[in-house]
Amino acid sequence: MFFITFAVSNKFVLQHFNNLEVLGFSLFFAFVMQLAFLGLGLYKPKLRDKWWGMLRRLILATALSFLFLMLVQTIFQQSYYLTQTLFNACLYSLLATLCLRTLMLKINFLGFAKRNVLIMGSGERAMIIENRMRRKIDRQGFNLMGYAQMPGDASSSIPANKIIKLEQSLVEYVALNNVHEIVIATDERRDNLPVEALFACKLRGVVVSDILDFFEQETGQIAVNLIYPSWLIFSDGFSSTNEIRNNLDWLFNASLAFLLFLITWPIMLLTYVAIKLEDGFRAPGFYWQERVGLNGQNFRIVKFRSMKVDAERHGIKWSSAEDDRVTKVGRFIRKYRIDELPQIYNVIVGDMGFVGPRPERPEFVSHLQQVIPYYYERHNVKSGLTGWAQLKYPYGSSDEDAQEKLKYDLYYIKHRSFLMDLLILIQTAEVVILGKGR
């Protein structure tokens, strides 16, 4: 996509300016367009949108790019940002990208690069892969050869046509079927794994993976229901080695929070007034609530009030997608995440960062720690305004939803870095612009 936008912008300015101006304009134009595409989720490897959904994202990304470039033109008064030229470049970039994207939806150009994967096991653990990766879009990076029956496997509902009964040795099967990766997903490993055959496959360049590592790589989450202590102890990650990030964490987050406040204060003012108009000027505009943050310490989070004043008169409970306690203004500001903007204060005082697991209420944390293994580990990093789980999983209101989000939170904790935080911040734009909030 970068080369398409670069080539299109290059064509439209070539006739007016010298080579250096053309190069500078084209590179900046392409960078802005790609950033907009990234922010609107167009580079998600498992984007599930149909053609119309993709078109909507492309139009929004192109429109945002055009508005931003026009703003740059106004601020810097650069003559080469001609409005008509810029409009034409954006339009033809949109058309060229749309044609290529449409073609890619119809034809899988990269299918030849898929890995052939054999699952060793056909029991309960293997069934998790079958359930989680049953759609083609979940298997974009690999071809599933099947599930090899192993001694000790429990019964499962894996379709019979996907179960493989190895009639020859594992090494021969791997060679004949060009298997690139073997995933160990047996229910009982002790004395049941063909260690010598796996070793021979490994020497021939075949990747041998544990189901946890495979699941993590393909889904962007850590399956907490499959974790065993030794994997957690010897696994890489779960600690930040970036000393600059560690030492300047508050300065970076506070600076970003102040910048966000400068941009959004008019929206915040309008929201405050709208809340007052709906519920009366005596009703509070903000809502303070106890949450659990870093190392299990409680702090008070601040949000725009999106529920009725007496929302908890019947006790504390999960907020649901169609919660009747939510006000009309509240429903709108939740959808576009405007209710979270006052948490800029929490970021500045150091209670939260911009990226991290969303903080939960102490009452929910006490319960979830009892029913979900490793739930407390999400408190090993500072809570955030947005996070990996918020990008990957819709709003949830149950123990099962909390467990699914924990899988993404643990993945973030294991892999977190400045670049990952930056990616999450950029892709949060998709949630806000497309109204994917609660």
Side-chain angles (χ1 to χ4, degrees):
M1 300 306 171
F2 178 87
F3 294 107
I4 289 177
T5 52
F6 176 80
V8 169
S9 62
N10 201 355
K11 176 184 182 301
F12 278 99
V13 297
L14 186 61
Q15 54 188 330
H16 299 290
F17 310 103
N18 62 49
N19 290 335
L20 285 178
E21 288 177 323
V22 170
L23 179 62
F25 173 83
S26 299
L27 286 174
F28 184 66
F29 176 86
F31 173 76
V32 171
M33 290 286 288
Q34 301 318 298
L35 199 62
F37 288 171
L38 181 63
L40 269 295
L42 285 163
Y43 286 123
K44 283 183 176 180
K46 296 179 181 179
L47 183 63
R48 292 185 171 89
D49 277 0
K50 300 296 183 182
W51 190 86
W52 282 109
M54 181 189 67
L55 177 61
R56 180 180 64 156
R57 292 173 188 264
L58 279 173
I59 292 174
L60 280 172
T62 306
L64 288 173
S65 299
F66 177 75
L67 292 174
F68 176 78
L69 290 168
M70 287 296 294
L71 179 63
V72 171
Q73 173 191 351
T74 304
I75 294 173
F76 293 99
Q77 298 180 348
Q78 297 294 318
S79 60
Y80 53 81
Y81 283 99
L82 300 175
T83 303
Q84 187 61 48
T85 300
L86 185 57
F87 178 81
N88 290 338
C90 288
L91 177 61
Y92 282 95
S93 292
L94 170 64
L95 294 176
T97 305
L98 180 61
C99 290
L100 181 59
R101 286 269 177 170
T102 303
L103 194 60
M104 291 178 67
L105 282 176
K106 301 295 182 182
I107 304 172
N108 182 13
F109 287 111
L110 303 180
F112 64 87
K114 287 186 176 182
R115 304 168 353 259
N116 293 327
V117 174
L118 173 67
I119 310 298
M120 294 291 291
S122 59
E124 292 179 356
R125 292 172 75 85
M127 190 64 200
I128 294 174
I129 296 177
E130 175 66 16
N131 288 336
R132 181 62 178 78
M133 303 178 187
R134 62 185 181 276
R135 294 168 295 193
K136 287 184 179 180
I137 198 164
D138 297 320
R139 303 195 299 271
Q140 283 188 339
F142 66 94
N143 293 314
L144 183 61
M145 307 297 292
Y147 301 86
Q149 279 188 331
M150 298 294 295
D153 281 343
S155 59
S156 71
S157 56
I158 294 176
N161 63 329
K162 293 185 179 181
I163 294 178
I164 298 172
K165 296 180 180 179
L166 295 176
E167 298 178 355
Q168 69 269 62
S169 70
L170 176 63
V171 178
E172 290 177 348
Y173 179 87
V174 166
L176 289 173
N177 293 276
N178 194 29
V179 174
H180 301 109
E181 183 174 359
I182 299 173
V183 178
I184 307 301
T186 56
D187 290 335
E188 181 56 59
R189 297 188 181 190
R190 186 174 300 176
D191 299 327
N192 287 326
L193 285 179
V195 178
E196 291 185 3
L198 290 172
F199 181 67
C201 292
K202 186 84 172 180
L203 290 179
R204 287 166 171 78
V206 178
V207 177
V208 180
S209 305
D210 182 85
I211 183 175
L212 273 165
D213 296 320
F214 177 74
F215 202 82
E216 177 184 342
Q217 173 185 315
E218 296 299 327
T219 65
Q221 59 178 213
I222 294 176
V224 292
N225 51 324
L226 298 177
I227 290 179
Y228 41 90
S230 61
W231 179 88
L232 199 62
I233 292 170
F234 293 109
S235 180
D236 294 330
F238 296 109
S239 64
S240 177
T241 58
N242 189 327
E243 293 302 325
I244 296 178
R245 173 208 170 100
N246 295 340
N247 295 327
L248 300 180
D249 181 72
W250 176 83
L251 182 61
F252 171 77
N253 281 283
S255 301
L256 198 57
F258 182 70
L259 179 62
L260 181 62
F261 175 76
L262 292 179
I263 297 172
T264 61
W265 72 263
I267 299 174
M268 296 173 69
L269 180 59
L270 289 173
T271 301
Y272 185 79
V273 172
I275 293 172
K276 291 288 188 178
L277 289 175
E278 181 176 14
D279 292 334
F281 279 85
R282 291 188 177 183
F286 297 102
Y287 181 62
W288 294 83
Q289 192 179 72
E290 285 286 317
R291 295 291 176 100
V292 180
L294 180 64
N295 297 323
Q297 298 297 313
N298 288 7
F299 69 96
R300 295 187 75 203
I301 199 173
V302 58
K303 306 170 69 173
F304 280 122
R305 184 175 57 81
S306 59
M307 288 189 174
K308 299 173 184 176
V309 177
D310 59 349
E312 294 188 340
R313 66 183 184 278
H314 297 305
I316 297 172
K317 65 178 181 178
W318 291 100
S319 174
S320 60
E322 299 297 330
D323 203 317
D324 59 5
R325 297 175 298 168
V326 179
T327 63
K328 293 179 180 178
V329 172
R331 200 167 302 282
F332 178 83
I333 63 176
R334 281 181 168 222
K335 183 177 181 180
Y336 294 98
R337 296 290 182 93
I338 298 172
D339 63 320
E340 311 283 0
L341 286 176
Q343 290 164 43
I344 291 173
Y345 165 80
N346 293 110
V347 174
I348 291 176
V349 300
D351 292 331
M352 299 171 61
F354 262 90
V355 180
R358 287 294 295 160
E360 287 291 356
R361 302 180 69 169
E363 297 83 358
F364 294 149
V365 171
S366 298
H367 166 71
L368 293 171
Q369 282 181 215
Q370 299 175 16
V371 298
I372 301 176
Y374 304 103
Y375 186 82
Y376 193 79
E377 307 310 317
R378 71 195 302 272
H379 300 127
N380 287 332
V381 298
K382 193 175 287 187
S383 303
L385 278 168
T386 185
W388 189 241
Q390 279 62 50
L391 293 182
K392 297 293 183 179
Y393 195 82
Y395 183 72
S397 56
S398 66
D399 292 356
E400 292 74 18
D401 292 328
Q403 179 167 319
E404 286 301 311
K405 284 195 171 184
L406 177 62
K407 295 177 182 180
Y408 290 110
D409 286 334
L410 290 181
Y411 180 90
Y412 167 74
I413 294 170
K414 182 178 180 182
H415 296 278
R416 71 192 184 106
S417 65
F418 177 78
L419 288 177
M420 186 174 188
D421 284 358
L422 187 60
L423 176 65
I424 291 172
L425 285 173
I426 292 172
Q427 292 191 343
T428 299
E430 175 192 359
V431 177
V432 176
I433 294 173
L434 298 183
K436 291 187 175 182
R438 293 167 298 179

